[in-house]
Amino acid sequence: MRDLKIVDFLDQLADRVPAPGGGATAALHAAQAAALLGMVARYTTGEKYTEHAETVVAVIAETDSLRARSLRLAEEDAAAFTAVTDAYRLPKGEERSAAIARALAGAAEPPARVAETAARLVELCELLLPIGNRNVVTDVAAAADAARAALTTARVNVEINLRGIKDERIREELNIRISGVDAAVARADWVTAEVREEIS
């Protein structure tokens, strides 16, 4: 997936195939947020920003890592959802039911990790907002909005899989992992509101 042209990925997304779908899209939202923050950080270097140099270097390294992680999660999501469709094709019976439950638990994992990644990206938006180069401050808002989309899209992709997971421990763990989405969304909205106030 990472080597596809954008137009080819969108063609696949629009096609009548099980994957890629919303989960991969959530991961790509996160990847875009990370890339935007990396760009803002790279514009926040040089003599004028010496006071924040250590923070900026750390943000560049982390956003590069989160961007790569998000791309991996997009691919993992597509693979996991394919496993779900394969499980549903098995002959009816206990083995099929168990395979579906396992596949759904596996399919919930990538979007849960996307939500965690996106929450961290919102934290990095908050970190860069006051110190970033003001010429690219709107890109902090763009990153916050991309992270917000990643959060809400990832959450709904976890929730749809929860319905078929029979293991209560796994269900509880997944619910805990997405329980902070609303708070992270509110913080992303705050970042965007702050940027809009600054540029108005």
Side-chain angles (χ1 to χ4, degrees), residues 25-44:
T25 301
L28 291 178
H29 285 314
Q32 289 177 100
L36 284 162
L37 289 174
M39 182 261 283
V40 172
R42 285 179 170 89
Y43 271 113
T44 310

Side-chain angles (χ1 to χ4, degrees), residues 54-137:
E54 189 175 332
T55 297
V56 168
V57 167
V59 169
I60 290 170
E62 186 170 4
T63 54
D64 285 354
S65 174
L66 292 174
R67 176 163 45 97
R69 180 186 192 207
S70 297
L71 284 175
R72 284 195 305 273
L73 287 171
E75 294 170 339
E76 289 173 17
D77 183 86
F81 195 75
T82 300
V84 171
T85 59
D86 289 346
Y88 273 104
R89 290 191 184 107
L90 293 172
K92 291 195 175 187
E94 286 185 21
E95 187 178 326
R96 176 180 183 265
S97 298
I100 290 171
R102 281 194 307 273
L104 289 172
E109 182 62 25
R113 289 171 61 198
V114 169
E116 292 161 352
T117 301
R120 176 56 184 160
L121 287 164
V122 173
E123 291 175 357
L124 293 173
C125 289
E126 294 170 318
L127 182 62
L128 271 185
L129 179 59
I131 67 172
N133 185 324
R134 302 339 276 171
N135 293 322
V136 288
V137 71

Side-chain angles (χ1 to χ4, degrees), residues 134-189:
R134 302 339 276 171
N135 293 322
V136 288
V137 71
T138 54
D139 292 295
V140 179
D145 286 338
R148 185 191 198 285
L151 283 159
T152 56
T153 307
R155 174 173 59 190
V156 78
N157 276 275
V158 172
E159 289 171 341
I160 189 64
N161 289 306
L162 283 173
R163 297 187 312 172
I165 298 172
K166 307 303 181 190
D167 188 320
E168 284 301 322
R169 182 187 58 80
I170 294 173
R171 288 172 56 86
E172 183 180 355
E173 179 188 299
L174 287 166
N175 275 313
I176 290 169
R177 290 171 68 187
I178 60 172
S179 63
V181 166
D182 283 336
V185 164
R187 286 163 47 212
D189 287 342

